Short mmCIF file of all heavy atoms in Angstrom, two decimals:
data_model
loop_
_atom_site.label_atom_id
_atom_site.label_comp_id
_atom_site.label_asym_id
_atom_site.label_seq_id
_atom_site.Cartn_x
_atom_site.Cartn_y
_atom_site.Cartn_z
N PRO A 193 -7.15 31.88 8.21
CA PRO A 193 -7.49 31.40 9.57
C PRO A 193 -7.64 29.90 9.70
O PRO A 193 -7.42 29.36 10.78
CB PRO A 193 -8.82 32.12 9.86
CG PRO A 193 -8.80 33.32 9.00
CD PRO A 193 -8.07 32.93 7.75
N CYS A 194 -8.01 29.19 8.62
CA CYS A 194 -8.19 27.75 8.76
C CYS A 194 -6.99 26.95 8.25
O CYS A 194 -7.04 25.73 8.21
CB CYS A 194 -9.46 27.28 8.06
SG CYS A 194 -9.77 28.06 6.48
N VAL A 195 -5.92 27.62 7.88
CA VAL A 195 -4.69 26.94 7.48
C VAL A 195 -3.57 27.23 8.47
O VAL A 195 -2.90 26.32 8.95
CB VAL A 195 -4.25 27.37 6.05
CG1 VAL A 195 -2.94 26.67 5.68
CG2 VAL A 195 -5.33 27.04 5.04
N PHE A 196 -3.40 28.49 8.81
CA PHE A 196 -2.28 28.91 9.65
C PHE A 196 -2.22 28.17 10.99
O PHE A 196 -1.16 27.67 11.39
CB PHE A 196 -2.35 30.42 9.87
CG PHE A 196 -1.17 30.99 10.59
CD1 PHE A 196 0.02 31.23 9.92
CD2 PHE A 196 -1.24 31.27 11.94
CE1 PHE A 196 1.12 31.75 10.59
CE2 PHE A 196 -0.15 31.80 12.62
CZ PHE A 196 1.03 32.04 11.93
N PRO A 197 -3.33 28.04 11.72
CA PRO A 197 -3.25 27.34 13.01
C PRO A 197 -2.91 25.86 12.88
O PRO A 197 -2.49 25.23 13.85
CB PRO A 197 -4.67 27.52 13.59
CG PRO A 197 -5.24 28.70 12.88
CD PRO A 197 -4.67 28.63 11.51
N MET A 198 -3.07 25.29 11.67
CA MET A 198 -2.81 23.86 11.49
C MET A 198 -1.32 23.58 11.33
O MET A 198 -0.90 22.42 11.43
CB MET A 198 -3.56 23.35 10.27
CG MET A 198 -5.08 23.41 10.41
SD MET A 198 -5.93 22.63 9.04
CE MET A 198 -5.56 20.91 9.30
N ILE A 199 -0.51 24.61 11.08
CA ILE A 199 0.92 24.37 10.88
C ILE A 199 1.56 23.78 12.13
O ILE A 199 2.13 22.68 12.09
CB ILE A 199 1.65 25.66 10.44
CG1 ILE A 199 1.15 26.10 9.06
CG2 ILE A 199 3.15 25.43 10.40
CD1 ILE A 199 1.75 27.41 8.59
N PRO A 200 1.48 24.47 13.28
CA PRO A 200 2.10 23.86 14.48
C PRO A 200 1.42 22.57 14.90
O PRO A 200 2.08 21.65 15.39
CB PRO A 200 1.94 24.96 15.55
CG PRO A 200 0.85 25.84 15.05
CD PRO A 200 0.91 25.79 13.56
N MET A 201 0.10 22.48 14.69
CA MET A 201 -0.63 21.29 15.12
C MET A 201 -0.19 20.05 14.33
O MET A 201 0.14 19.00 14.91
CB MET A 201 -2.13 21.51 14.93
CG MET A 201 -3.00 20.33 15.36
SD MET A 201 -4.75 20.72 15.18
CE MET A 201 -4.88 20.87 13.40
N THR A 202 -0.13 20.15 13.01
CA THR A 202 0.23 19.00 12.18
C THR A 202 1.71 18.66 12.29
O THR A 202 2.09 17.49 12.37
CB THR A 202 -0.13 19.26 10.71
OG1 THR A 202 0.44 20.51 10.31
CG2 THR A 202 -1.61 19.31 10.52
N VAL A 203 2.57 19.68 12.32
CA VAL A 203 4.00 19.42 12.44
C VAL A 203 4.32 18.77 13.79
O VAL A 203 5.12 17.83 13.87
CB VAL A 203 4.82 20.71 12.23
CG1 VAL A 203 6.29 20.46 12.53
CG2 VAL A 203 4.65 21.21 10.81
N SER A 204 3.67 19.25 14.84
CA SER A 204 3.87 18.65 16.17
C SER A 204 3.43 17.19 16.17
O SER A 204 4.06 16.33 16.80
CB SER A 204 3.10 19.44 17.23
OG SER A 204 3.60 20.75 17.32
N PHE A 205 2.36 16.91 15.45
CA PHE A 205 1.88 15.53 15.36
C PHE A 205 2.95 14.62 14.75
O PHE A 205 3.22 13.53 15.25
CB PHE A 205 0.61 15.49 14.51
CG PHE A 205 0.15 14.10 14.16
CD1 PHE A 205 -0.57 13.34 15.05
CD2 PHE A 205 0.46 13.54 12.92
CE1 PHE A 205 -0.99 12.06 14.73
CE2 PHE A 205 0.05 12.26 12.59
CZ PHE A 205 -0.68 11.52 13.50
N PHE A 206 3.58 15.10 13.68
CA PHE A 206 4.60 14.29 13.02
C PHE A 206 5.85 14.16 13.88
O PHE A 206 6.50 13.12 13.92
CB PHE A 206 4.98 14.89 11.67
CG PHE A 206 3.96 14.65 10.60
CD1 PHE A 206 3.23 15.69 10.07
CD2 PHE A 206 3.72 13.36 10.13
CE1 PHE A 206 2.29 15.46 9.09
CE2 PHE A 206 2.77 13.12 9.15
CZ PHE A 206 2.05 14.18 8.62
N MET A 207 6.21 15.24 14.56
CA MET A 207 7.45 15.21 15.34
C MET A 207 7.31 14.40 16.63
O MET A 207 8.29 13.85 17.12
CB MET A 207 7.88 16.64 15.69
CG MET A 207 8.23 17.49 14.46
SD MET A 207 9.40 16.68 13.34
CE MET A 207 10.83 16.53 14.39
N HIS A 208 6.11 14.31 17.17
CA HIS A 208 5.94 13.60 18.43
C HIS A 208 5.22 12.26 18.27
O HIS A 208 5.06 11.52 19.23
CB HIS A 208 5.14 14.46 19.43
CG HIS A 208 5.86 15.72 19.80
ND1 HIS A 208 5.59 16.92 19.18
CD2 HIS A 208 6.84 15.96 20.71
CE1 HIS A 208 6.37 17.87 19.70
NE2 HIS A 208 7.15 17.30 20.62
N GLY A 209 4.80 11.98 17.06
CA GLY A 209 4.05 10.75 16.85
C GLY A 209 4.92 9.56 16.54
O GLY A 209 4.44 8.46 16.35
N ALA A 220 6.75 13.73 7.40
CA ALA A 220 6.32 15.12 7.26
C ALA A 220 6.59 15.64 5.85
O ALA A 220 5.78 16.37 5.27
CB ALA A 220 7.03 15.99 8.29
N PHE A 223 4.08 14.18 3.65
CA PHE A 223 2.83 14.92 3.88
C PHE A 223 2.80 16.20 3.03
O PHE A 223 1.81 16.49 2.35
CB PHE A 223 2.73 15.26 5.37
CG PHE A 223 1.68 16.26 5.73
CD1 PHE A 223 0.33 15.95 5.64
CD2 PHE A 223 2.04 17.53 6.17
CE1 PHE A 223 -0.64 16.88 5.98
CE2 PHE A 223 1.08 18.46 6.51
CZ PHE A 223 -0.27 18.14 6.42
N VAL A 284 -15.15 15.13 4.86
CA VAL A 284 -14.05 15.47 5.76
C VAL A 284 -13.85 14.38 6.81
O VAL A 284 -12.71 13.97 7.10
CB VAL A 284 -14.31 16.83 6.43
CG1 VAL A 284 -13.20 17.17 7.41
CG2 VAL A 284 -14.45 17.93 5.38
N ASP A 288 -10.60 12.00 7.52
CA ASP A 288 -9.97 12.11 8.83
C ASP A 288 -9.77 10.73 9.45
O ASP A 288 -8.76 10.47 10.11
CB ASP A 288 -10.82 12.99 9.73
CG ASP A 288 -10.06 13.42 10.98
OD1 ASP A 288 -8.87 13.77 10.85
OD2 ASP A 288 -10.65 13.39 12.07
N ALA A 291 -6.74 9.16 8.06
CA ALA A 291 -5.51 9.76 8.58
C ALA A 291 -5.09 9.15 9.91
O ALA A 291 -3.90 9.16 10.26
CB ALA A 291 -5.70 11.27 8.74
N MET A 302 -3.84 12.70 5.89
CA MET A 302 -3.82 13.93 6.68
C MET A 302 -3.68 15.13 5.75
O MET A 302 -4.29 16.18 5.98
CB MET A 302 -2.67 13.90 7.70
CG MET A 302 -2.55 15.17 8.52
SD MET A 302 -1.62 14.95 10.04
CE MET A 302 -2.88 14.18 11.07
N ALA A 303 -2.85 14.97 4.70
CA ALA A 303 -2.74 16.04 3.71
C ALA A 303 -4.08 16.26 3.02
O ALA A 303 -4.50 17.41 2.79
CB ALA A 303 -1.67 15.68 2.68
N THR A 305 -6.97 15.61 4.25
CA THR A 305 -7.85 16.25 5.24
C THR A 305 -7.56 17.74 5.34
O THR A 305 -8.47 18.56 5.43
CB THR A 305 -7.67 15.58 6.62
OG1 THR A 305 -7.96 14.19 6.52
CG2 THR A 305 -8.58 16.22 7.65
N LEU A 306 -6.27 18.09 5.34
CA LEU A 306 -5.90 19.50 5.38
C LEU A 306 -6.52 20.26 4.21
O LEU A 306 -7.08 21.35 4.38
CB LEU A 306 -4.38 19.65 5.36
CG LEU A 306 -3.86 21.08 5.12
CD1 LEU A 306 -4.19 21.97 6.30
CD2 LEU A 306 -2.37 21.08 4.85
N VAL A 307 -6.43 19.67 3.00
CA VAL A 307 -6.99 20.32 1.82
C VAL A 307 -8.49 20.51 1.99
O VAL A 307 -9.05 21.57 1.66
CB VAL A 307 -6.68 19.50 0.55
CG1 VAL A 307 -7.41 20.07 -0.66
CG2 VAL A 307 -5.17 19.47 0.29
N VAL A 309 -10.32 20.47 4.92
CA VAL A 309 -10.66 21.36 6.05
C VAL A 309 -10.39 22.82 5.69
O VAL A 309 -11.15 23.73 6.06
CB VAL A 309 -9.88 20.95 7.31
CG1 VAL A 309 -10.04 21.99 8.41
CG2 VAL A 309 -10.37 19.59 7.81
N SER A 310 -9.29 23.05 5.01
CA SER A 310 -8.92 24.42 4.67
C SER A 310 -9.69 24.96 3.47
O SER A 310 -9.47 26.10 3.05
CB SER A 310 -7.42 24.49 4.38
OG SER A 310 -7.09 23.70 3.25
N PRO A 347 5.73 25.54 4.37
CA PRO A 347 5.83 25.70 5.83
C PRO A 347 5.85 24.37 6.58
O PRO A 347 6.57 24.21 7.58
CB PRO A 347 4.59 26.52 6.19
CG PRO A 347 4.22 27.22 4.93
CD PRO A 347 4.57 26.28 3.84
N PHE A 348 5.10 23.38 6.06
CA PHE A 348 5.05 22.09 6.75
C PHE A 348 6.39 21.37 6.65
O PHE A 348 6.88 20.79 7.63
CB PHE A 348 3.93 21.25 6.16
CG PHE A 348 2.57 21.82 6.40
CD1 PHE A 348 1.97 22.65 5.46
CD2 PHE A 348 1.88 21.55 7.58
CE1 PHE A 348 0.73 23.20 5.68
CE2 PHE A 348 0.63 22.10 7.81
CZ PHE A 348 0.05 22.93 6.87
N PHE A 351 9.07 23.48 8.92
CA PHE A 351 8.97 23.33 10.37
C PHE A 351 9.14 21.88 10.81
O PHE A 351 9.37 21.61 11.99
CB PHE A 351 7.65 23.89 10.87
CG PHE A 351 7.60 25.40 10.82
CD1 PHE A 351 6.74 26.05 9.95
CD2 PHE A 351 8.42 26.15 11.63
CE1 PHE A 351 6.71 27.44 9.89
CE2 PHE A 351 8.40 27.53 11.58
CZ PHE A 351 7.54 28.18 10.70
N SER A 352 9.02 20.93 9.86
CA SER A 352 9.33 19.54 10.21
C SER A 352 10.81 19.36 10.47
O SER A 352 11.23 18.61 11.36
CB SER A 352 8.89 18.61 9.07
OG SER A 352 7.51 18.67 8.88
N PRO A 355 11.72 22.11 14.02
CA PRO A 355 10.57 22.26 14.91
C PRO A 355 10.75 23.35 15.96
O PRO A 355 9.77 23.91 16.44
CB PRO A 355 10.45 20.87 15.56
CG PRO A 355 11.82 20.26 15.41
CD PRO A 355 12.36 20.79 14.12
N LEU A 358 8.96 26.72 15.57
CA LEU A 358 7.52 26.89 15.76
C LEU A 358 7.20 27.96 16.79
O LEU A 358 6.19 28.65 16.70
CB LEU A 358 6.90 25.55 16.20
CG LEU A 358 6.71 24.49 15.11
CD1 LEU A 358 6.24 23.18 15.73
CD2 LEU A 358 5.71 24.98 14.06
N SER A 359 8.07 28.10 17.77
CA SER A 359 7.80 29.08 18.83
C SER A 359 7.87 30.51 18.33
O SER A 359 7.37 31.43 18.99
CB SER A 359 8.81 28.89 19.97
OG SER A 359 10.14 29.07 19.48
N LEU A 361 6.47 31.55 15.51
CA LEU A 361 5.30 31.91 14.72
C LEU A 361 4.39 32.87 15.48
O LEU A 361 4.19 32.72 16.69
CB LEU A 361 4.49 30.65 14.36
CG LEU A 361 5.05 29.74 13.26
CD1 LEU A 361 4.15 28.51 13.11
CD2 LEU A 361 5.15 30.48 11.94
N PRO A 362 3.79 33.87 14.79
CA PRO A 362 2.83 34.74 15.47
C PRO A 362 1.59 33.97 15.86
O PRO A 362 1.21 33.00 15.21
CB PRO A 362 2.52 35.80 14.41
CG PRO A 362 2.85 35.16 13.11
CD PRO A 362 4.00 34.24 13.38
N LYS A 363 0.98 34.36 16.96
CA LYS A 363 -0.22 33.68 17.42
C LYS A 363 -1.41 34.01 16.52
O LYS A 363 -1.49 35.08 15.93
CB LYS A 363 -0.55 34.10 18.86
CG LYS A 363 0.60 33.85 19.85
CD LYS A 363 0.97 32.37 19.92
CE LYS A 363 2.09 32.13 20.91
NZ LYS A 363 2.51 30.71 20.95
N SER A 364 -2.34 33.04 16.44
CA SER A 364 -3.56 33.29 15.68
C SER A 364 -4.35 34.41 16.35
O SER A 364 -4.29 34.59 17.56
CB SER A 364 -4.41 32.01 15.60
OG SER A 364 -3.67 30.97 15.00
#
Side-chain angles (χ1 to χ4, degrees):
C194 41
V195 178
F196 186 80
M198 295 186 70
I199 295 177
M201 180 177 66
T202 52
V203 173
S204 297
F205 170 82
F206 284 113
M207 296 309 297
H208 296 97
F223 168 69
V284 178
D288 194 42
M302 178 161 281
T305 301
L306 168 68
V307 173
V309 171
S310 63
F348 295 93
F351 288 113
S352 297
L358 283 173
S359 59
L361 284 177
K363 303 300 181 182
S364 301

